[in-house]
Amino acid sequence: GLIERIKSPFDSSKKILVVCGLNQHGTRAAVLALVKHTNEFRNEITARVVEGFDEDGDGLVDSVEFLE
């Protein structure tokens, strides 16, 4: 998954938060990272790549690790 903060092309005083993944698991990992590690994204971090893991074997992403 990817979490990125970019400048708005429409208003230079605004920013856009992009949360995405290649599939549903990547997107879920990005959203989970954003929810669980909110304080980390309040700084001027422009982009983070996350990987999701299924800790309990139920087929859903439970935890995340920051790769970049």
Side-chain angles (χ1 to χ4, degrees):
L2 175 72
I3 303 168
E4 186 172 9
R5 188 179 345 190
I6 60 174
K7 289 183 183 178
S8 172
F10 306 108
D11 185 356
S12 61
S13 66
K14 304 287 183 178
K15 298 201 181 222
I16 298 172
L17 184 65
V18 179
V19 181
C20 62
L22 290 176
N23 54 32
Q24 66 189 26
H25 303 295
T27 305
R28 182 179 172 98
V31 170
L32 189 62
L34 188 61
V35 170
K36 285 191 172 183
H37 303 281
T38 304
N39 292 333
E40 191 167 328
F41 294 103
R42 292 187 184 182
N43 300 332
E44 287 299 317
I45 296 173
T46 56
R48 296 298 300 259
V49 177
V50 297
E51 182 177 2
F53 297 101
D54 180 14
E55 296 287 328
D56 58 2
D58 63 354
L60 298 174
V61 175
D62 302 315
S63 64
V64 294
E65 178 181 319
F66 294 100
L67 301 178
E68 291 185 24

